Amino acid sequence: MTVLRLRAADQSPLALRNAALLEALQEAVWLVDARSRCIVAVNGASTELLGMPADKLVGSSVESLASTPEDAMFWQDVASGSRTGLSSDTLVRHGKGHMLWVTRRITHVRPPEGDEFWLVSMRDQTRQRQQEEDRETLLAELRATLESTADGILVTDLAGRMRSFNQRFASLWGMPEDLLKERNDEAVQAWMRRSVADSAVYQQRLVAIQEAPLLQSSDIIQLLDGRVLERVSLPQFHRERPVGRVYSYRDLSEKIAARQRIEELSHTDMLTDLPNRRALGERLDHALAVARRDGSSFALLNVDLDRFKQINDTLGHSYGDRVIKEVAQRLKDCLREVDAVCRLSGDEYALLVHQADMRGAENAARRVQEAMSRPFSFDTLNFTVTASTGIALFPGDGNSSEELLASAERAMHWVKESGRAAYHFHQPRKDVDLLSRMRLDHAMRKALAEREFRVHYQPQVELATGRIIGAEALIRWSDPLRGEVSPGEFIPVAEESGFVVAIGDWVLQQAVQQAASWLRQGWRMPIAVNVSALQFQQPQFVETVAEALKSASLPPELLELELTESILLRDAEDALRRLEQLAALGIGMSIDDFGTGYSSLGYLKRFPIQRLKIDRSFIKGLPDDASDAGIVNAIVQMGRALRLQVIAEGVETQEQMDFLRRAGCHEMQGFLYAPALEAHSFEDRVWRSRSSNNSRY
């Protein structure tokens, strides 16, 4: 400590003792002369606190270092004779010019010698003040974070008393501002209890949470106004001990509503607002459960609009959509409230008729036909749309939703193939084991891969001359385990599974290559190949035919494709487009099994067809069956009128051939001349026939 000797008296032993006393104090201390209010002595802690040497401090006016209004008023009072001390926080000037926060205490001192002093002691508050500011900043940030969260936050102590909350909490619960300002815990809790749908359950759960300080919980709370809140409760810890609980509340109402809307949309057709295929599956499962429990039955109707594509193509999709919606309403009007209408796809509907036997299902199908018979009137347009309906009954036509849907769809397709605009019950194929069909399908796929299939060729004979004018390519299958498998057995299975496309493409490739091989040997033999409906509908079918001809280098006029009537009439416009593309390649085309379908003369005139093949079912009764004879004569006369070649298949007797020749039929094929032969046998037979001057039949 340094003592400034202002007067000779300051160097007295007493002054020195006081100086030593001040130096021993840990706080920063000034000794201020009462009359001059100047510092007469300081200790080392003081110089360190203010960053100023003792000689600068001693002699300085105390007001120059502590100049707050409080200090100025105090020293003015001292000058007026006041002897009352002071203790508070204040600011003092540091030697570098900035201000320091200190806690200072000013005490009046009067030694025995008679001089009066003031003892100013100071304790640095800079660190404490900084900590307080940091704490306040942190609290402000926490408060801002609390207010910015989307969740409502409530913090309580272990007794459930409120310690903090944010405005989101207040808005979620709709609490009045004055209620929150009161900080009345019981009033707040009472408000919350009154706001929930089930206050008893709410209170019971809240008590359970409060009685378990370490419990972490999550609850769903239904409010009286319909909103749904999620409450998450976590314990609050301080120094690893629970001191309270934090509740967060989140409004799930919009999320739940959105989820419900998504669920609704996933089960609803957007255009008609009818249940969709997914919803139908669930309703079918429920109907199955009820029917099994009660021992009752129900019906499933598959309703498919006939030639709906023509509406979209001619009137546009906007009219098509209006038709779809109108049909939906008509179908709903056909049923009871307990029944259901669903939209399966573009123009396909399903009707679920509860507690219905065969009679009830037929009545529903008749109501559908009556509803669809009424003309549609949109703007200035009037037109009719018919529908094909397939009916499946539980339990006879299936024991699962998938089986019933498949049965109803098969029945609907039967109607389509039989002329449309009608209804038909599913007819179970009790004589066919589904497992055996699966095995047969697998065996077919294996047979194609292992080259067990082969192609035979049946000669086609010109009746007028007996000349061989072509051959029909027919697939044969010799299975190692089953032996010879009839095409009548495996082709229907291939059509159901779709494998008929691969088989058909393989037969086409083999037949074209064989015709090309014969051509290279100098023998020009046209080949007829059967085409299935599914194969014909493939997008790349025309390209497949063209590629087969190109790869084998076969002239297109040596290939003929045999198509059934159903193929051509399923979608006449699309069929006409494909036929014209095939005709542009130069290949020939014929209608197979003619007479078994519902051919339109108008379509026959438009289609680029060269031949009609009379189905074997009409040949079998010739010449004695008057009905068969009349049908065959009519087909031959129609073919000649349309300038088409007519060929009869399945000719087995001389009498049948003679009748056909007299009727004017052009060609025939059948066992009377030869069955389907392997390629080398076909060559031997045809060559022998030619070497014997083509003996006539």
Side-chain angles (χ1 to χ4, degrees):
M1 177 173 174
T2 304
V3 179
L4 183 63
R5 297 176 175 81
L6 298 175
R7 299 184 302 273
D10 293 331
Q11 300 179 6
S12 65
L14 178 61
L16 293 176
R17 284 196 307 271
N18 289 339
L21 204 74
L22 294 179
E23 188 63 35
L25 297 175
Q26 294 182 352
E27 292 181 338
V29 177
W30 300 339
L31 189 62
V32 180
D33 180 66
R35 287 175 301 186
S36 65
R37 299 186 299 283
C38 291
I39 299 173
V40 296
V42 297
N43 64 357
S46 178
T47 61
E48 183 178 350
L49 173 64
L50 298 177
M52 298 173 62
D55 56 356
K56 271 198 168 186
L57 290 172
V58 175
S60 299
S61 169
V62 69
E63 289 98 329
S64 66
L65 296 174
S67 57
T68 65
E70 183 183 30
D71 287 297
M73 291 183 65
F74 174 78
W75 292 113
Q76 287 179 7
D77 291 343
V78 168
S80 300
S82 174
R83 298 297 181 261
T84 304
L86 177 65
S87 178
S88 64
D89 290 346
T90 188
L91 289 168
V92 295
R93 189 178 303 281
H94 190 271
K96 294 183 178 179
H98 61 271
M99 307 302 289
L100 295 177
W101 276 104
V102 297
T103 298
R104 55 102 169 83
R105 186 175 63 258
I106 306 176
T107 307
H108 181 257
V109 179
R110 187 168 187 174
E113 291 78 1
D115 292 335
E116 293 185 23
F117 297 94
W118 290 92
L119 185 67
V120 180
S121 61
M122 296 168 290
R123 187 169 62 249
D124 190 0
Q125 294 294 323
T126 303
R127 179 175 298 179
Q128 181 178 343
R129 284 279 179 165
Q130 185 63 48
Q131 290 175 348
E132 290 178 357
E133 290 180 4
D134 292 343
R135 188 160 50 247
E136 289 177 1
T137 301
L138 179 60
L139 288 174
E141 292 175 352
L142 289 175
R143 170 57 62 181
T145 302
L146 203 63
E147 293 297 342
S148 64
T149 181
D151 296 341
I153 304 296
L154 172 65
V155 183
T156 68
D157 60 17
L158 291 177
R161 292 184 293 267
M162 286 195 309
R163 290 170 49 199
S164 182
F165 60 87
N166 65 356
Q167 289 302 313
R168 179 60 176 164
F169 165 76
S171 64
L172 280 177
W173 286 92
M175 290 186 182
E177 188 175 350
D178 56 349
L179 179 64
L180 293 169
K181 288 181 178 179
E182 291 175 5
R183 290 282 189 170
N184 187 327
D185 296 297
E186 181 54 37
V188 170
Q189 291 296 339
W191 179 279
M192 296 172 72
R193 285 194 300 271
R194 290 195 301 269
S195 300
V196 299
D198 192 335
S199 58
V201 172
Y202 170 82
Q203 183 62 26
Q204 181 181 3
R205 180 59 176 161
L206 184 61
V207 170
I209 293 173
Q210 291 176 346
E211 290 178 349
L214 300 181
L215 176 67
Q216 299 183 10
S217 67
S218 177
D219 303 280
I220 299 298
I221 301 174
Q222 180 79 44
L223 300 185
L224 286 174
D225 61 8
R227 289 180 298 129
V228 178
L229 301 184
E230 178 189 31
R231 177 180 62 190
V232 176
S233 174
L234 298 174
Q236 186 181 42
F237 291 94
H238 179 66
R239 296 182 179 178
E240 301 182 356
R241 296 184 61 184
V243 296
R245 184 164 289 279
V246 178
Y247 297 92
S248 65
Y249 299 88
R250 177 171 296 181
D251 191 345
L252 300 181
S253 304
E254 292 185 1
K255 184 177 181 181
I256 292 175
R259 187 183 300 129
Q260 291 174 343
R261 180 58 177 161
I262 292 172
E263 184 69 14
E264 179 183 338
L265 291 175
S266 70
H267 287 74
T268 305
D269 175 63
M270 295 293 291
L271 180 60
T272 62
D273 285 332
L274 292 177
N276 60 13
R277 181 181 289 271
R278 180 180 178 185
L280 174 63
E282 295 179 359
R283 297 191 182 198
L284 274 175
D285 290 340
H286 177 72
L288 286 165
V290 172
R292 291 191 182 105
R293 183 195 65 196
D294 299 340
S296 59
S297 62
F298 65 87
L300 179 67
L301 281 63
N302 183 297
V303 180
D304 191 270
L305 303 185
D306 298 326
R307 300 185 177 92
F308 178 72
K309 185 175 183 296
Q310 294 179 3
I311 296 175
N312 280 333
D313 292 345
T314 56
L315 302 181
H317 288 278
S318 62
Y319 276 94
D321 289 346
R322 294 172 70 178
V323 170
I324 290 295
K325 291 192 286 187
E326 175 68 20
V327 170
Q329 186 59 49
R330 293 188 184 188
L331 294 178
K332 288 170 65 176
D333 295 340
C334 291
L335 300 180
R336 304 165 298 179
E337 289 187 5
V338 296
D339 302 326
V341 182
C342 303
R343 187 184 179 201
L344 299 180
S345 59
D347 59 349
E348 188 177 5
Y349 303 82
L351 279 63
L352 180 59
V353 185
H354 296 283
Q355 299 289 331
D357 55 11
M358 180 175 288
R359 183 176 180 180
E362 185 172 8
N363 288 336
R366 284 178 177 173
R367 289 195 297 271
V368 169
Q369 295 302 315
E370 291 172 2
M372 295 304 297
S373 67
R374 300 195 304 270
F376 288 77
S377 298
F378 296 132
D379 302 328
T380 59
L381 295 173
N382 294 288
F383 53 90
T384 299
V385 179
T386 60
S388 300
T389 303
I391 307 171
L393 293 172
F394 174 82
D397 297 327
N399 289 313
S400 68
S401 58
E402 292 80 8
E403 291 177 0
L404 288 170
L405 282 166
S407 297
E409 186 174 1
R410 280 195 294 270
M412 179 271 292
H413 284 302
W414 188 94
V415 178
K416 291 281 189 183
E417 294 169 1
S418 301
R420 301 179 173 85
Y423 61 86
H424 183 71
F425 283 90
H426 176 256
Q427 295 179 344
R429 292 173 295 187
K430 297 179 180 178
D431 58 330
V432 178
D433 180 6
L434 292 178
L435 181 59
S436 69
R437 295 175 71 84
M438 292 175 60
R439 290 171 176 166
L440 184 60
D441 179 71
H442 176 71
M444 280 191 301
R445 298 174 189 273
K446 183 179 177 183
L448 184 60
E450 298 184 359
R451 300 183 179 180
E452 294 175 6
F453 289 120
R454 59 192 190 281
V455 178
H456 286 190
Y457 302 90
Q458 186 172 42
Q460 296 176 330
V461 182
E462 187 177 56
L463 285 171
T465 64
R467 184 170 55 91
I468 308 301
I469 48 88
E472 180 180 5
L474 299 168
I475 189 171
R476 295 294 183 264
W477 179 19
S478 180
D479 184 76
L481 299 177
R482 295 177 174 82
E484 288 294 329
V485 184
S486 168
E489 181 181 352
F490 69 83
I491 290 298
V493 177
E495 288 177 339
E496 278 192 9
S497 68
F499 190 59
V500 71
V501 176
I503 291 178
D505 289 346
W506 180 82
V507 171
L508 175 66
Q509 298 287 342
Q510 296 297 311
V512 168
Q513 291 174 10
Q514 183 61 65
S517 174
W518 283 336
L519 185 62
R520 287 193 294 271
Q521 299 176 48
W523 190 16
R524 191 178 180 86
M525 178 59 64
I527 296 291
V529 178
N530 290 284
V531 176
S532 71
L534 189 59
Q535 185 183 8
F536 183 76
Q537 293 166 2
Q538 297 302 301
Q540 303 300 319
F541 175 69
V542 176
E543 289 77 4
T544 299
V545 174
E547 181 59 30
L549 292 170
K550 180 179 178 182
S551 62
S553 300
L554 181 70
E557 62 269 17
L558 294 183
L559 175 64
E560 179 183 85
L561 300 181
E562 293 190 0
L563 308 129
T564 63
E565 293 175 88
S566 62
I567 294 178
L568 303 180
L569 299 181
R570 187 181 302 271
D571 188 338
E573 296 303 323
D574 183 65
L576 177 60
R577 179 180 57 81
R578 289 174 183 265
L579 290 176
E580 289 174 344
Q581 292 174 346
L582 292 168
L585 296 177
I587 66 177
M589 282 165 285
S590 66
I591 297 182
D592 193 14
D593 301 333
F594 189 79
T596 60
Y598 296 84
S599 292
S600 163
L601 292 179
Y603 284 133
L604 286 178
K605 289 177 63 178
R606 295 174 62 194
F607 290 152
I609 300 295
Q610 289 79 44
R611 283 208 294 185
L612 301 179
K613 177 177 280 190
I614 304 175
D615 186 68
R616 65 178 64 248
S617 63
F618 302 124
I619 304 300
K620 188 176 182 179
L622 295 179
D624 300 326
D625 190 302
S627 177
D628 286 345
I631 292 173
V632 169
N633 275 314
I635 293 175
V636 171
Q637 294 306 314
M638 183 180 65
R640 285 184 170 275
L642 294 173
R643 294 184 177 84
L644 301 176
Q645 292 292 107
V646 181
I647 181 171
E649 66 176 354
V651 179
E652 298 180 355
T653 68
Q654 183 69 38
E655 290 78 9
Q656 292 171 345
M657 186 185 71
D658 291 341
F659 179 90
L660 291 168
R661 184 182 288 127
R662 289 194 302 272
C665 183
H666 301 100
E667 301 150 1
M668 71 92 173
Q669 68 183 79
F671 276 36
L672 179 61
Y673 181 82
L677 304 169
E678 294 183 349
H680 63 86
S681 299
F682 181 91
E683 295 169 4
D684 292 342
R685 177 61 190 239
V686 171
W687 282 110
R688 282 201 307 273
S689 172
R690 288 188 173 181
S691 63
S692 59
N693 296 320
N694 289 330
S695 56
R696 296 180 61 176
Y697 286 83

